[in-house]
Amino acid sequence: MGAHDALGRRTFVAGAGAALLGGGAVSGAQAAVVDGPLPDFHPALKDALTFPGAWGRSPVRDPRAWRRAARATVEEHLLVERQDGTPYAPEVTGRSRTREYARELVTVSLTRYERVRGALLTPHGRGPFPAVLLLHDHGARFDIGKEKLIRPWYDDTRLASARTWADKYFSGRFVGDELARRGYVVLCLDALGWGDRGPLAYEQQQALAANFYNLGSSLAGLMAREDQRAAAFLAGLDRVDARRVAAVGFSMGAYRAWQTAALSDHVAAAASVCWMTGLKEMMVPGNNTLRGQSAYFMLHPGLARHLDIPDVASIAAPRPMLFFDGGRDTLFRAEGVRVAYDKLRAVWRAHHAEERIRVKTWPELGHVFTDQMQDEVFNWLDDVL
């Protein structure tokens, strides 16, 4: 997944990891997107999922003890060991300044396997500042990763792609730049397959995931560990107030945001836009999950035998959490969102902290993170951090 320098450290090589595990180049454009087959007996399999580790079903009745037990269950199913002892060894390049904030490209070792590059924005002035770990979406668009959320000042080709993405999903804004203007340090790194760690082809995702499983590991587990480590790296920067670090994401980035909050005590709050549902309500004919491919980034083998999706997110309680979903979002049906929200509220209620969780469905919107939604998230962050 990279070359080695004279000290034996892995050096940054764009796309090496994705190409190696993804099975090499695949000709043609995106694969045709079709629903995957469900077995005829899938209702019986769904009925067997009772989520015995969930709050209210678990024999553990103390909320804090339940939180520890549930987190341990998730950690066990990541299939990627903790990477706490790996030095980050940050290298900074691509420095630039605007009137309001400084911009840097930073390359770090989130795990011992590969160097990862990200964009780091720092407001002008005296810190320490509050900070946001921004987590990019999937979107089957791999040529850009961090660039979906932070304006790529260093690459005009990626800037053109990023502007198209921002226009489609973010009302033309770069969310990270907006946060930096508001006084937040912002970090966004490429997940495996995107940007400098890709581009992965759509139809290569299954091979990538299968090769991880063959190696006794997990693509979703790697992403979870990397995000966990990224939160710790951000919190450890001298310019950052370690008590005021949030995780924010849209779509797959939303999944990553609440997952990171569940797994990392470095995250004081999290905002997740357009990724929350009950598993059973998601696993229905026509749902994107059944296509495979993209789902592997969010699939931890065996975890559903213990915990539902909102159960995992609830490990973050009683810290402040925000969940937004679009009423017209075809990826997450209203029934699944409702089930998830009810489960989330119950856990915060058990912590006597129901005021710290905010859930909202935007009935007129689909799978987007519009400027109005962003403004509400930004104001919420100002209040809770």
Side-chain angles (χ1 to χ4, degrees):
M1 286 191 172
H4 290 78
D5 63 14
L7 298 178
R9 299 175 301 181
R10 289 192 181 273
T11 57
F12 180 82
V13 180
L20 176 64
L21 286 178
V26 176
S27 61
Q30 271 192 8
V33 177
V34 296
D35 288 338
L38 276 173
D40 291 339
F41 52 86
H42 81 271
L45 294 174
K46 288 174 70 172
D47 289 344
L49 294 177
T50 60
F51 309 119
W55 173 253
R57 288 184 175 272
S58 168
V60 180
R61 299 302 183 187
D62 175 72
R64 291 176 177 80
W66 173 83
R67 180 175 179 267
R68 291 192 295 270
R71 179 183 279 184
T73 297
V74 177
E75 292 265 359
E76 180 183 351
H77 287 81
L78 296 185
L79 306 184
V80 177
E81 66 273 18
R82 295 184 66 92
Q83 301 288 316
D84 300 334
T86 302
Y88 288 109
E91 299 175 19
V92 176
T93 59
R95 287 187 172 94
S96 175
R97 293 173 65 88
T98 74
R99 287 184 295 180
E100 297 153 305
Y101 52 92
R103 305 182 290 198
E104 299 170 304
L105 290 173
V106 58
T107 303
V108 296
S109 296
L110 297 179
T111 66
R112 65 173 181 268
Y113 307 115
E114 186 176 26
R115 300 281 282 166
V116 179
R117 190 157 73 180
L120 179 64
L121 309 181
T122 304
H124 297 320
R126 295 184 62 184
F129 302 100
V132 171
L133 176 64
L134 269 184
L135 299 152
H136 69 72
D137 59 69
H138 187 294
R141 181 70 180 264
F142 298 97
D143 61 317
I144 51 175
K146 59 188 176 296
E147 295 85 5
K148 294 179 177 182
L149 293 167
I150 292 179
R151 185 182 186 276
W153 68 93
Y154 44 85
D155 189 315
D156 289 341
T157 300
R158 291 188 188 181
L159 177 58
S161 294
R163 281 175 171 161
T164 299
W165 202 254
D167 288 342
K168 183 175 182 180
Y169 291 107
F170 307 133
S171 299
R173 287 176 167 180
F174 286 99
V175 176
D177 296 73
E178 294 293 327
L179 283 163
R181 291 187 187 99
R182 294 179 69 113
Y184 292 88
V185 173
V186 180
L187 175 66
C188 188
L189 298 128
D190 288 324
L192 181 61
W194 281 268
D196 290 312
R197 302 176 76 188
L200 192 69
Y202 183 88
E203 58 269 36
Q204 286 180 307
Q205 295 174 95
Q206 183 174 346
L208 180 62
N211 284 323
F212 268 98
Y213 293 151
N214 282 329
L215 294 168
S217 192
S218 162
L219 177 57
L222 176 70
M223 189 169 70
R225 286 297 187 207
E226 289 187 347
D227 293 343
Q228 185 182 48
R229 285 268 291 170
F233 171 74
L234 179 59
L237 293 176
D238 290 342
R239 69 195 77 176
V240 169
D241 183 344
R243 302 165 300 174
R244 302 168 67 197
V245 176
V248 176
F250 162 72
S251 193
M252 183 185 76
Y255 173 97
R256 297 169 67 192
W258 57 251
Q259 179 175 254
T260 305
L263 294 174
S264 173
D265 291 333
H266 292 287
V267 176
S272 298
V273 180
C274 291
W275 212 114
M276 179 47 63
T277 182
L279 174 63
K280 291 185 178 183
E281 293 74 24
M282 182 173 64
M283 291 293 294
V284 295
N287 189 272
N288 188 59
T289 306
L290 304 188
R291 297 170 180 169
Q293 296 291 1
S294 305
Y296 285 107
F297 286 95
M298 295 156 278
L299 194 162
H300 299 294
L303 182 57
R305 292 180 178 269
H306 305 273
L307 297 166
D308 197 359
I309 291 165
D311 300 329
V312 178
S314 295
I315 296 169
R319 285 168 287 167
M321 296 280 281
L322 177 149
F323 297 89
F324 283 171
D325 284 275
R328 297 184 180 180
D329 190 338
T330 57
L331 297 178
F332 302 102
R333 301 193 314 167
E335 175 63 12
V337 173
R338 183 193 63 78
V339 166
Y341 283 1
D342 286 347
K343 288 188 174 185
L344 292 165
R345 288 192 193 97
V347 178
W348 265 260
R349 191 179 306 120
H351 283 275
H352 305 288
E354 195 170 5
E355 75 283 355
R356 294 185 182 178
I357 183 168
R358 184 177 179 193
V359 297
K360 179 177 179 178
T361 297
W362 298 69
E364 74 284 5
L365 297 178
H367 198 71
V368 291
F369 188 16
T370 65
D371 50 1
Q372 186 178 357
M373 299 169 85
Q374 292 168 40
D375 288 342
E376 287 204 21
V377 169
F378 299 159
N379 291 334
W380 178 83
L381 288 172
D382 292 344
D383 288 341
V384 300
L385 288 182

